Every structure is written in structure tokens, then in C-alpha cells.
């Protein structure tokens, strides 16, 4: 599957999770529910994937973690905040660059309509 195909499927699953849970829960509730749904639909998914930082050719473990990595291609950053801001976008883009991934989804579940909280982020390698 391509990144775009994976992204389309994941957005559909996120909408299903949001329909059941609604807004207002902790980020961890949405992350665990989405992790479960992605597994249930037969996609490979890693949770809290460690993302080391390479600085002057030294690999540093700084505690960066991707919320969900799907099919080793799609970076997912899950939020439950009043609104997404530039730092959330920057964080996701940083993960894309550090891992050399092409596409990320930043999803804020704390929205009445989930569609309003979804951002696709592209790394122009």
C-alpha cells in the first residue's frame, strides 16, 4: 500500500473511533483505541516508536516517540487539545524528517467534527 492509501484507511478508522468515543477524552484513550482498530484491520502498527536524534554522527536517545507508525510508512501524531497549533505541526514534521518518512497525520480528537482536526503533513524529502 502507498502512503496515501494507508492514510485514507487510517482517517476512516479514526472517524469510526471518534464516532464511538466523541471529543473530550485523554489522548491515550484515542491512541489505544486507534491502535486496536488498526491492528484489527490487519495493518502493521507500532505504538510509541522510539525516534533517536542523530547529532554529529552520534545517535542520541532524547526520548522522542512517534505515537503510531503504520506499515513503517505513515507517522501518526495523536492529540486531544483545544486546537492544533504550529508546534504540533512542527513536531510531526520533525518526526518525518528524523525517520525519513514521506507522510504524517496529525489528528486532534478534541473536535466536534473530527474532519476539522485532521492535518496531512508531507515531508518533501
Amino acid at each position: 500500500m502507498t502512503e496515501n492509501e494507508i492514510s485514507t484507511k487510517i482517517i476512516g478508522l479514526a472517524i469510526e473511533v471518534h464516532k464511538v468515543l466523541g471529543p473530550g477524552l485523554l489522548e491515550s484513550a484515542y491512541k489505544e483505541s486507534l491502535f486496536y482498530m488498526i491492528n484489527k484491520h490487519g495493518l502493521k502498527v507500532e505504538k510509541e516508536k522510539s525516534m533517536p536524534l542523530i547529532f554529529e554522527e552520534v545517535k542520541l536517545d532524547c526520548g522522542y516517540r512517534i505515537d503510531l507508525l503504520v506499515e513503517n510508512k505513515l507517522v501518526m501524531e495523536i492529540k486531544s487539545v483545544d486546537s492544533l497549533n504550529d508546534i504540533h505541526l512542527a513536531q510531526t514534521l520533525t518526526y518525518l524528517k528524523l525517520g525519513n518518512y514521506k507522510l504524517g497525520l496529525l489528528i486532534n480528537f478534541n473536535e466536534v467534527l473530527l474532519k476539522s482536526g485532521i492535518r496531512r503533513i508531507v515531508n518533501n524529502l
Side-chain angles (χ1 to χ4, degrees):
M1 292 177 89
T2 67
E3 286 87 348
N4 284 329
E5 291 169 332
I6 296 167
S7 166
T8 299
K9 183 152 186 91
I10 296 304
I11 289 171
L13 295 175
I15 289 170
E16 283 184 43
V17 167
H18 190 264
K19 281 181 182 175
V20 173
L21 299 178
L25 300 178
L26 294 174
E27 176 185 311
S28 58
Y30 300 112
K31 187 185 330 175
E32 291 296 329
S33 299
L34 193 52
F35 178 77
Y36 166 77
M37 289 294 284
I38 294 168
N39 266 320
K40 181 179 169 185
H41 283 82
L43 294 172
K44 179 185 174 209
V45 59
E46 296 175 76
K47 183 174 36 171
E48 298 293 327
K49 169 96 172 145
S50 180
M51 181 59 46
L53 174 67
I54 308 297
F55 181 75
E56 294 186 354
E57 300 180 15
V58 176
K59 185 177 179 179
L60 306 170
D61 185 6
C62 299
Y64 291 118
R65 306 241 183 277
I66 297 173
D67 285 340
L68 299 173
L69 180 64
V70 183
E71 294 289 317
N72 205 33
K73 292 182 179 181
L74 179 71
V75 171
M76 295 194 59
E77 197 54 33
I78 308 297
K79 300 293 180 195
S80 183
V81 293
D82 287 336
S83 64
L84 294 175
N85 61 42
D86 291 344
I87 198 71
H88 299 127
L89 293 168
Q91 176 187 20
T92 307
L93 186 56
T94 296
Y95 290 155
L96 290 173
K97 288 178 180 178
L98 288 175
N100 203 27
Y101 300 110
K102 293 180 187 174
L103 184 63
L105 287 176
L106 173 59
I107 302 178
N108 181 18
F109 279 88
N110 198 29
E111 296 279 351
V112 174
L113 184 62
L114 186 64
K115 183 177 165 183
S116 304
I118 298 174
R119 302 287 181 274
R120 291 179 86 248
I121 300 158
V122 177
N123 180 14
N124 296 320
L125 310 171

